[in-house]
Amino acid sequence: MVGCQFGCYGKHCSPLIAMAAKDDIYTKVTPRRQRLTRPGTVKQGASTLDVLLSMGFPKTRYLHGWVRLGEPSVTTRCVAPPRPRLFSHVDDPFLDDPLPREYVLYLRPTGPLLHQLTQYWQQSRLTCGKNKAHNIFPHITLCQFFMCADGKVEALTEALQATMASWRGRFPATLNLKLYTSSNFIGLFVDEHVAEVLKSFASEFATEAASKADVHIEPHKKQLHVTLAYQFQANHLPVLEKLAKSMDVSVGCDWLAVMFSRDIRFANHETLQVMYPYTPQNDDELELVPGDFVFMSAVEQASASEGWVYGSSQGTGLSGLLPENYVTRADECETWVVHGSHSFLNGAPPPDPGGRADSLLLDGQLLDSLGDLAGLSVLTTPMQLLRAGSEQSSLPKRSLFVCRHGERMDVVFGKHWITQCFDTKGRYVRCNLNMPPSLPIRSGGHRDYDKDCPITVFGGTQARLVGEALLESHTTVNFIYCSPSLRCVQTAQNILQGLQLDGKTRIRVEPGLFEWTKWVSGTTLPVWIPPVELAAANLNVDTTYRPHIPISKLVVSESYDTYISRSFQVTREILSECNNLDTVLIVAHASSLEACTRQMQGLSPQNAKDFVQVVRKIPYLGFCACEELGETGVWQLVDPPILPLTHGPNHSFNWREMLLQD
């Protein structure tokens, strides 16, 4: 079998194998670890390259470092040498790989127009969720992605600078933009006459780049435009179109011609950003540093085990397994590097308050020069502004929280825990400290616990931690609903205790929140404890509540569509009976986080297979939050007000078996 340039034999990057056959530059290169030698004598005033070469660094590594820092052009020679990256990537198996980076030339708006576009990005994402346009900042594409060898990048940036200089004073004073909408696309199109001028500029840059850097660039031949939204739900079109029409695109703007590069190896990968540090426990695991980015292919994602993914670090170049809940999804453009930014109006590099306008990759961190939205020369990524400012909206919000129950007895102690804990007379005696000291008496007998198990002591602790975190975040919970399963009722009770609402807010038991009945073993549904008996067992249940979907309406082995429809229906009815600004907490099952929120966002249900894959990754006390803007009826997932709760399995300990061995 022939492997790709990474030597992975089809495991990671089949798309790149096809490119390898297309161009000799993609042929496999065997990485060689270079041994660093003691620095030799270096003449006074020697260049950074001379110093690094004397230390044993190959010239290719020096160029790698420069390219990934931003650019070694005349305007940024004051940038510190790429030593941090060289040392952080010393174990990178592809450090000497000659594979070039991909480059692209965009026009990016600044000033008041960027402010208008950023507001549109924010409002459209909050009201309709993320669509494909959100993956990249607002821009006009001037050329297609092209490749350039590391040794030619300086000449490439000089070609852009020379082209800008020759066009000084020839650019149109304004770019007239006209709104266009269709069933799956919304954008601002450049006036045809002005577009031809911009295409001429791109064509001249392509000619200059071919002359100076020997690279082939294909100018953009289609209509020039700023994409506002595409590949969105059909029912979101009226809202997105209304938001687009509310923008004033005639406001002042300076356009910047900006050249970006990206690592071609990860062009088809999903980009993840590290949230929490992680120290590897095994040789095949990847060290995580907060702020770093990790790239993961679809093949790697499909082959990873539950709770773990396989990815490659941008900061070190190393690959390995990592815990999935330590990273969050990011946009690919967040890892791009700037290689020159020039003002559209005067052709000069825009001033930079920090002394440089380029992004720098230091110790694996991508640092962007950001500033005031109203400035005429600042590059900003609306996605970053969105995450930072999404919670500052002054619009009224309704909040919906959905939470999974705590650790359950039958999962920790197995299906036979009932025979271990109940004697022949049905009396309960715990045999492990993680078992509850007592259990509610069931009118149908203790065998009903077989399909309706309680939570463990640790499960109750988990739930109280969530309640305490909500209290510390000053989050108000007005109503709490839960599935009829005992584990959900007990979890809700412990959350209320953590919130210090025990005895004040009563739990509304709603059978319509029970999980997909197909997952119930046997031919009958569980026999749940009635609310009156739950209240008698000192559980703070509302005995006067009338369910939206009574138990009699539930059927065994319901279809997936029936379950999804049931969850959507009961969630809507729960919200409709609460006041406009009430916060509602639903405590139910792992499947509820998806089933109770997806259609509330105006999204179509996933297929059953993908649904199961999502559900299996939701841990105990998994928590999600939704918000509604005003009274639009459109909900959007947002960051929860509390931190996630991470926990792992703890094996049973028997001191006799462990310590009294011969």
Side-chain angles (χ1 to χ4, degrees):
M1 179 181 289
V2 179
C4 71
Q5 68 269 23
F6 300 127
C8 64
Y9 299 93
K11 181 180 180 182
H12 301 302
C13 46
S14 56
L16 292 180
I17 298 177
M19 287 191 283
K22 190 174 182 181
D23 194 324
D24 291 341
I25 196 66
Y26 295 100
T27 55
K28 180 179 177 182
V29 176
T30 303
R32 295 180 176 83
R33 289 285 304 277
Q34 299 287 340
R35 183 172 61 87
L36 300 181
T37 60
R38 294 179 60 86
T41 302
V42 182
K43 296 181 180 180
Q44 187 175 2
S47 67
T48 302
L49 175 59
D50 292 333
V51 174
L52 292 175
L53 289 177
S54 71
M55 296 174 63
F57 284 104
K59 186 176 181 179
T60 54
R61 292 193 184 182
Y62 172 83
L63 293 173
H64 266 350
W66 267 128
V67 168
R68 284 145 186 82
L69 275 172
E71 71 100 35
S73 68
V74 176
T75 60
T76 57
R77 288 190 186 278
C78 61
V79 176
R83 294 178 63 183
R85 185 184 192 281
L86 291 175
F87 289 123
S88 68
H89 281 250
V90 68
D91 293 318
D92 186 343
F94 310 113
L95 186 59
D96 297 319
D97 196 326
L99 194 68
R101 292 175 67 84
E102 276 194 322
Y103 294 77
V104 70
L105 183 63
Y106 286 157
L107 281 185
R108 294 191 62 178
T110 65
L113 179 59
L114 177 58
H115 183 62
Q116 293 272 336
L117 292 170
T118 301
Q119 285 186 319
Y120 177 84
W121 245 252
Q122 181 175 359
Q123 293 298 322
S124 63
R125 196 165 187 172
L126 285 173
T127 56
C128 300
K130 183 177 179 180
N131 61 67
K132 287 291 185 180
H134 289 116
N135 289 330
I136 304 179
F137 40 77
H139 67 278
I140 295 174
T141 303
L142 292 182
C143 68
Q144 305 299 320
F145 274 97
F146 60 92
M147 288 174 289
C148 179
D150 291 344
K152 303 290 184 68
V153 174
E154 184 168 4
L156 179 65
T157 58
E158 290 174 353
L160 177 59
Q161 186 176 1
T163 306
M164 292 298 302
S166 68
W167 272 74
R168 188 169 299 161
R170 297 164 57 189
F171 286 109
T174 59
L175 268 63
N176 295 325
L177 301 173
K178 184 177 180 180
L179 179 64
Y180 170 82
T181 64
S182 67
S183 60
N184 59 0
F185 176 87
I186 301 176
L188 300 171
F189 280 78
V190 181
D191 177 80
E192 193 61 34
H193 174 72
V194 177
E196 290 303 319
V197 176
L198 297 180
K199 289 179 181 179
S200 297
F201 163 74
S203 180
E204 187 168 319
F205 167 63
T207 302
E208 190 75 17
S211 173
K212 290 183 179 293
D214 192 27
V215 297
H216 175 70
I217 298 176
E218 188 70 31
H220 195 67
K221 294 188 169 95
K222 297 181 180 180
Q223 290 179 289
L224 301 186
H225 62 276
V226 178
T227 300
L228 297 180
Y230 75 101
Q231 290 192 15
F232 47 81
Q233 296 289 326
N235 60 322
H236 289 162
L237 177 60
V239 177
L240 294 173
E241 187 176 18
K242 182 179 180 180
L243 289 172
K245 289 180 177 178
S246 67
M247 287 194 303
D248 182 6
V249 297
S250 64
V251 295
C253 175
D254 181 18
W255 291 84
L256 303 178
V258 190
M259 186 162 59
F260 296 91
S261 75
R262 67 182 183 183
D263 193 325
I264 191 174
R265 295 175 300 170
F266 307 118
N268 297 312
H269 287 47
E270 183 173 3
T271 305
L272 307 172
Q273 187 169 20
V274 178
M275 297 185 297
Y276 311 110
Y278 178 75
T279 301
Q281 307 297 313
N282 299 289
D283 293 339
D284 61 348
E285 295 175 4
L286 181 67
E287 181 179 6
L288 299 181
V289 177
D292 188 17
F293 290 92
V294 175
F295 302 102
M296 178 180 66
S297 74
V299 175
E300 292 163 347
Q301 185 176 12
S303 61
S305 59
E306 181 178 356
W308 291 78
V309 297
Y310 189 92
S312 302
S313 164
Q314 183 192 45
T316 64
L318 301 177
S319 301
L321 292 167
L322 58 134
E324 189 174 15
N325 57 352
Y326 278 53
V327 295
T328 186
R329 282 174 171 76
D331 298 320
E332 179 193 357
C333 64
E334 294 185 47
T335 66
W336 292 359
V337 176
V338 180
H339 296 271
S341 175
H342 302 269
S343 170
F344 183 80
L345 294 181
N346 57 38
D352 177 60
R356 58 178 183 250
D358 294 289
S359 299
L360 304 180
L361 185 62
L362 300 175
D363 291 321
Q365 305 283 333
L366 186 68
L367 308 177
D368 289 318
S369 301
L370 300 176
D372 188 354
L373 275 172
L376 294 179
S377 60
V378 178
L379 297 179
T380 54
T381 303
M383 299 305 102
Q384 296 167 331
L385 296 173
L386 234 173
R387 284 192 292 271
S390 60
E391 298 179 359
Q392 300 175 2
S393 172
S394 60
L395 294 173
K397 302 181 181 70
R398 298 177 67 194
S399 296
L400 169 66
F401 302 145
V402 185
C403 181
R404 187 191 177 190
H405 58 75
E407 182 181 80
R408 50 190 289 177
M409 283 273 284
D410 56 354
V411 171
V412 176
F413 299 107
K415 292 292 185 181
H416 301 293
W417 73 271
I418 296 177
T419 59
Q420 297 171 358
C421 296
F422 287 92
D423 60 20
T424 55
K425 295 183 178 180
R427 292 174 297 194
Y428 170 77
V429 179
R430 68 173 177 176
C431 53
N432 189 284
L433 288 177
N434 196 27
M435 293 179 173
S438 62
L439 291 177
I441 297 175
R442 309 185 75 127
S443 57
H446 67 276
R447 283 294 173 186
D448 286 345
Y449 277 116
D450 184 43
K451 289 187 177 182
D452 187 30
C453 71
I455 58 174
T456 63
V457 172
F458 184 50
T461 302
Q462 294 169 325
R464 283 191 295 276
L465 283 173
V466 168
E468 291 169 0
L470 289 170
L471 181 65
E472 291 173 2
S473 68
H474 304 289
T475 300
T476 301
V477 174
N478 304 102
F479 296 96
I480 182 166
Y481 294 78
C482 77
S483 159
S485 295
L486 178 60
R487 57 187 181 274
C488 298
V489 179
Q490 291 177 321
T491 300
Q493 174 85 3
N494 281 277
I495 290 177
L496 287 177
Q497 290 177 0
L499 276 166
Q500 298 181 11
L501 293 176
D502 189 22
K504 300 176 183 179
T505 300
R506 296 194 176 277
I507 302 167
R508 296 179 172 181
V509 179
E510 175 55 63
L513 293 172
F514 183 61
E515 65 185 347
W516 189 5
T517 61
K518 178 182 177 181
W519 291 336
V520 176
S521 61
T523 58
T524 60
L525 292 173
V527 178
W528 294 295
I529 303 177
V532 174
E533 294 183 18
L534 290 171
N538 295 321
L539 291 166
N540 198 34
V541 171
D542 184 354
T543 57
T544 65
Y545 174 70
R546 299 186 63 180
H548 294 280
I549 300 179
I551 294 175
S552 59
K553 296 293 185 181
L554 299 180
V555 296
V556 181
S557 299
E558 66 187 337
S559 68
Y560 172 66
D561 290 340
T562 300
Y563 168 64
I564 292 297
S565 298
R566 165 166 63 87
S567 300
F568 181 37
Q569 174 192 341
V570 74
T571 304
R572 284 190 303 176
E573 293 181 1
I574 284 173
L575 292 171
S576 66
E577 73 179 355
C578 301
N579 295 326
N580 288 341
L581 296 182
D582 283 335
T583 296
V584 176
L585 170 61
I586 290 176
V587 180
H589 307 270
S591 56
S592 305
L593 275 73
E594 170 78 5
C596 293
T597 63
R598 185 172 179 84
Q599 287 176 277
M600 294 299 296
Q601 303 171 68
L603 303 176
S604 300
Q606 300 194 75
N607 61 57
K609 182 179 179 181
D610 291 339
F611 172 78
V612 171
Q613 292 302 314
V614 170
V615 171
R616 64 190 287 266
K617 296 179 181 180
I618 296 175
Y620 294 126
L621 271 299
F623 193 101
C624 72
C626 279
E627 285 183 354
E628 180 194 28
L629 285 182
E631 298 179 357
T632 62
V634 178
W635 293 73
Q636 173 63 35
L637 285 174
V638 296
D639 288 332
I642 61 174
L643 296 173
L645 175 64
T646 302
H647 47 84
N650 185 33
H651 298 294
S652 177
F653 173 73
N654 186 310
W655 66 273
R656 291 181 182 276
E657 294 179 0
M658 297 290 184
L659 304 180
L660 293 181
Q661 296 183 11
D662 295 333

